[in-house]
Amino acid sequence: MEIFKVTGAILMSFGGAGVILFALSSWLGKVWASRILANEKQEHTKEIESYKHKLKVEISELQMMNDKSVYVSKTQYDKEFEIYLSIWESFVELRFATGSLYPQGLVHVPNDPDEKQEYLDDKYKKFSDAYDSFINQIYKFAPFYKEEFYDEFEEFRQICYRVFLLYKKYNYDKYNSLTYAAVKDTMNLTIKESNFVYDESHNLMKEKYEKLRINIHDYLISLQISQN
């Protein structure tokens, strides 16, 4: 503004013409000031719009995160939790029962025929009870939990049952069926079958266990109880 004061003083020295020139300079000063204000306003508007855009993006991201949560009532949550807990207990029991049919590592097997048969019968019964309990749980509650978990449970069931069929074949069927009577003393697991029951099946069951443990845990954490 100092420049306008100096300019005005100079113009005043010109008398009447100076007054006109001073008025003109004042008008130009106002025009320039208006333009400066307009430019500043435009810059502020751009900054505000940029901020609003960033804010919308952040809100959108938060909304997406929130949408991943499922709001349920406390009663619904408690019921669903009970279902997974019940299935998980039978899942773990079946895993151990299946693993005991062909356990890894050194295992003591009775030499006495009667004791050995009792030992085999005990494993057979434990598997049968655990298997029946598991399929009862996954089928009974099938409509009330996630489809992807049902598929995983079903795949786990098939692995366990495949191990059991081999156990039954070599410890019972070959002694009770005429089909195996001629070779009952020499019939043993093939190399492929042995690899499956002693290694592959244990690894597959462990993978299913870890995958389901993590996914079910994360799913239950994602549930948010509605306050309504």
Side-chain angles (χ1 to χ4, degrees):
M1 299 300 293
E2 287 296 328
I3 189 172
F4 294 127
K5 291 180 179 180
V6 173
T7 303
I10 295 173
L11 292 174
M12 287 295 293
S13 64
F14 290 96
V19 173
I20 296 174
L21 291 173
F22 180 76
L24 180 60
S25 66
S26 297
W27 177 79
L28 288 174
K30 290 181 180 179
V31 171
W32 291 340
S34 297
R35 289 182 178 179
I36 291 172
L37 290 175
N39 289 335
E40 290 181 351
K41 182 178 180 180
Q42 186 176 10
E43 290 297 322
H44 285 308
T45 300
K46 289 181 179 179
E47 291 179 3
I48 292 173
E49 290 300 321
S50 177
Y51 177 76
K52 287 169 64 177
H53 175 72
K54 292 180 180 178
L55 190 60
K56 287 181 179 180
V57 172
E58 292 178 359
I59 292 175
S60 177
E61 291 176 350
L62 290 173
Q63 186 63 47
M64 289 176 63
M65 293 176 62
N66 187 62
D67 289 343
K68 293 180 180 179
S69 298
V70 181
Y71 287 85
V72 297
S73 68
K74 187 176 186 305
T75 301
Q76 289 175 302
Y77 178 86
D78 290 343
K79 184 61 179 178
E80 191 162 0
F81 183 86
E82 288 178 5
I83 290 174
Y84 284 113
L85 179 61
S86 180
I87 295 176
W88 192 252
E89 288 178 347
S90 62
F91 174 87
V92 172
E93 290 178 0
L94 180 56
R95 181 190 175 191
F96 285 117
T98 304
S100 69
L101 296 178
Y102 291 100
Q104 295 176 316
L106 298 176
V107 178
H108 173 69
V109 179
N111 291 320
D112 180 79
D114 292 334
E115 292 181 359
K116 182 178 180 180
Q117 189 60 51
E118 184 178 347
Y119 167 79
L120 296 174
D121 291 345
D122 181 61
K123 293 200 293 183
Y124 188 107
K125 185 178 186 306
K126 286 182 179 178
F127 174 88
S128 298
D129 291 343
Y131 182 80
D132 290 343
S133 175
F134 180 69
I135 61 175
N136 178 60
Q137 295 292 318
I138 63 172
Y139 294 161
K140 178 172 64 176
F141 294 120
F144 308 107
Y145 63 91
K146 296 186 71 175
E147 183 72 18
E148 66 180 87
F149 296 150
Y150 173 84
D151 293 338
E152 293 289 340
F153 286 137
E154 179 61 20
E155 289 178 10
F156 175 78
R157 181 199 67 78
Q158 293 175 12
I159 295 169
C160 296
Y161 193 65
R162 183 180 169 188
V163 175
F164 171 71
L165 288 179
L166 290 172
Y167 180 82
K168 181 173 177 288
K169 172 182 177 181
Y170 289 106
N171 292 288
Y172 291 92
D173 293 346
K174 72 176 184 176
Y175 297 111
N176 300 321
S177 173
L178 294 176
T179 305
Y180 301 109
V183 293
K184 68 179 182 179
D185 294 328
T186 58
M187 185 179 179
N188 296 305
L189 287 166
T190 65
I191 294 177
K192 183 178 180 179
E193 290 170 338
S194 180
N195 288 335
F196 173 72
V197 298
Y198 286 111
D199 293 314
E200 186 180 349
S201 65
H202 287 270
N203 292 333
L204 288 172
M205 288 190 292
K206 181 179 180 181
E207 289 175 5
K208 289 294 181 186
Y209 174 87
E210 291 299 330
K211 182 178 181 180
L212 282 163
R213 179 183 65 81
I214 294 172
N215 290 344
I216 292 175
H217 173 269
D218 290 347
Y219 169 69
L220 291 174
I221 291 296
S222 74
L223 295 179
Q224 295 188 10
I225 300 176
S226 173
Q227 300 300 317
N228 296 331

